[in-house]
Amino acid sequence: MFDAAAVLKQSAKEAAALAKQTGVDEKAQIDTRADAQDEADRRNYAIQAAIGAKEGAAEAITNKVGSDITDSVLRNADGNDNKSVDEYTLYEVLQAAIQGAIRPTMTEILSQK
C-alpha cells in the first residue's frame, strides 16, 4: 500500500537520480502533500482492484466446489481463521479444486454413449 510520505520520498529520489544524470538541478514531479496523497490513492485503487479480484475468484471457486475442498488453502492450520490474501495463490485454490474433484469410475466412463 502506498501513502503520501512514500510517494513524496520516491518522487524526490527520482528527481535526485535525474539531476545526477543530467547535471541540472531537477524539481520533484510531486512536491506537495496533497499531490502525493492523490497519487497514492490512484496507485492504491489498482492494488485494491487486484486484491478484490483475487478474493472474488477464490470465493467463486469455493462456492462451486465447496469449502471442504478449498479450506486447506484458504484457512490457517487450525481451521478457525481465514488466511490473508497474500498467503495463498489462485493457483493453489485451483489445484485444491482439481484434486478434490469427484472423478467418475472407469465403469461409468465406459457406460456413457
Side-chain angles (χ1 to χ4, degrees), residues 76-88:
N76 291 329
D78 62 5
N80 292 329
D81 296 325
N82 288 329
K83 290 182 180 177
S84 77
V85 76
D86 294 330
E87 294 178 315
Y88 66 88

Side-chain angles (χ1 to χ4, degrees), residues 6-77:
V7 171
L8 282 171
K9 187 175 182 179
Q10 181 182 7
S11 182
K13 187 184 284 187
E14 289 170 357
L18 186 59
K20 187 176 182 180
Q21 276 183 342
T22 62
V24 178
D25 192 25
E26 296 287 337
K27 182 181 174 191
Q29 287 183 338
I30 301 171
D31 58 355
T32 66
R33 188 150 186 83
D35 289 343
Q37 188 59 52
D38 289 343
E39 179 66 14
D41 290 343
R42 186 189 64 76
R43 292 180 186 181
N44 287 334
Y45 285 133
I47 292 170
Q48 291 298 327
I51 290 170
K54 184 176 180 180
E55 289 174 338
E59 184 178 347
I61 293 167
T62 299
N63 289 342
K64 192 71 171 172
V65 301
S67 62
D68 292 343
I69 294 172
T70 59
D71 277 354
S72 64
V73 175
L74 299 177
R75 290 192 176 267
N76 291 329

